[in-house]
Amino acid sequence: MTGQRVMYMTGKAIAPAMVYLYGTQLKQEGDTLSLTNAYMASGRTLLTLQSQTNYQAHRRVPQLPLLVPGYRYRLKREITSQPEGRCLVGLDFYNRQGDVIERLVLRPDEESFLCPEAAYTYELILTNAGCHQLTISSIELIEESQQTAIPLTLPVEKYYTEAERPQELAFVSSLLKQAPGGSQYGR
């Protein structure tokens, strides 16, 4: 499946300040980032990437691009853990008030998702699920397609005969247009 690449990030682009550091050994080799911690707590957030930040408060720029609501995206990642499959990748979508409107957990190395219509910002979160070593090679975001627009249909015009017309419409009967047939009123 082809699409337009929106973001490509290697492990080299991840700043150590964004990673869980308590007792963790960080090692950068080429474009990969390795985290090793035998005592890393399960359920702990290892890495959080954001599409919107407060630069004045945190002195960090957004790491993720803005997504268009209603578009379908594919997230490809080269992340390995020891034991295998013990790192969860999640997406949290927020509305303008900062409330979580949708939370996705992506399990395979490549998965598609639809950006919610009410989404204003989002976060990509790596969570420890019992691993003691994690290697991040790359994270790639690809725009698959936009959601097809649903054609709008015109409202159904309703006509009344003079006998059927409700009394509530008597006041506005002069505003109702005449139906093509004579004595019926439409709206």
Side-chain angles (χ1 to χ4, degrees):
M1 195 177 279
T2 61
Q4 181 180 356
R5 182 188 285 177
V6 178
M7 179 201 74
Y8 183 80
M9 177 186 286
T10 61
K12 183 180 186 178
I14 297 172
M18 298 188 297
V19 178
Y20 176 77
L21 291 175
Y22 302 102
T24 301
Q25 295 175 346
L26 289 178
K27 189 177 186 184
Q28 272 189 318
E29 294 177 351
D31 287 344
T32 63
L33 176 70
S34 296
L35 293 84
T36 305
N37 187 344
Y39 305 108
M40 207 172 344
S42 195
R44 179 65 77 177
T45 298
L46 302 175
L47 172 68
T48 301
L49 301 175
Q50 299 170 328
S51 68
Q52 183 181 29
T53 59
N54 182 345
Y55 184 78
Q56 255 185 320
H58 304 290
R59 298 288 189 247
R60 285 195 350 219
V61 296
Q63 304 88 15
L64 298 173
L66 295 175
L67 300 182
V68 180
Y71 278 39
R72 181 162 291 283
Y73 294 90
R74 185 168 21 114
L75 185 68
K76 289 173 63 175
R77 56 209 176 271
E78 290 182 42
I79 299 173
T80 57
S81 64
Q82 294 297 331
E84 193 65 37
R86 296 296 184 149
C87 178
L88 300 177
V89 177
L91 288 168
D92 287 352
F93 294 96
Y94 300 92
N95 62 10
R96 288 184 181 267
Q97 288 75 35
D99 301 326
V100 176
I101 55 171
E102 190 170 335
R103 182 168 279 154
L104 302 173
V105 176
L106 310 174
R107 297 198 183 261
D109 291 337
E110 184 175 336
E111 190 169 340
S112 293
F113 64 93
L114 184 68
C115 182
E117 287 294 331
Y120 181 67
T121 183
Y122 69 105
E123 291 181 340
L124 182 116
I125 301 167
L126 294 180
T127 306
N128 181 10
C131 69
H132 57 82
Q133 183 176 6
L134 183 72
T135 304
I136 302 169
S137 298
S138 68
I139 300 172
E140 183 176 11
L141 190 62
I142 299 166
E143 179 186 309
E144 284 186 343
S145 67
Q146 68 183 43
Q147 185 179 9
T148 57
I150 300 171
L152 298 176
T153 57
L154 296 174
V156 177
E157 289 195 23
K158 189 171 184 179
Y159 296 100
Y160 296 106
T161 62
E162 285 191 41
E164 297 176 323
R165 184 180 56 197
Q167 282 197 343
E168 295 85 27
L169 294 179
F171 182 68
V172 293
S173 63
S174 63
L175 300 174
L176 298 174
K177 64 180 179 178
Q178 192 78 19
S183 64
Q184 299 175 343
Y185 289 97
R187 55 179 184 111

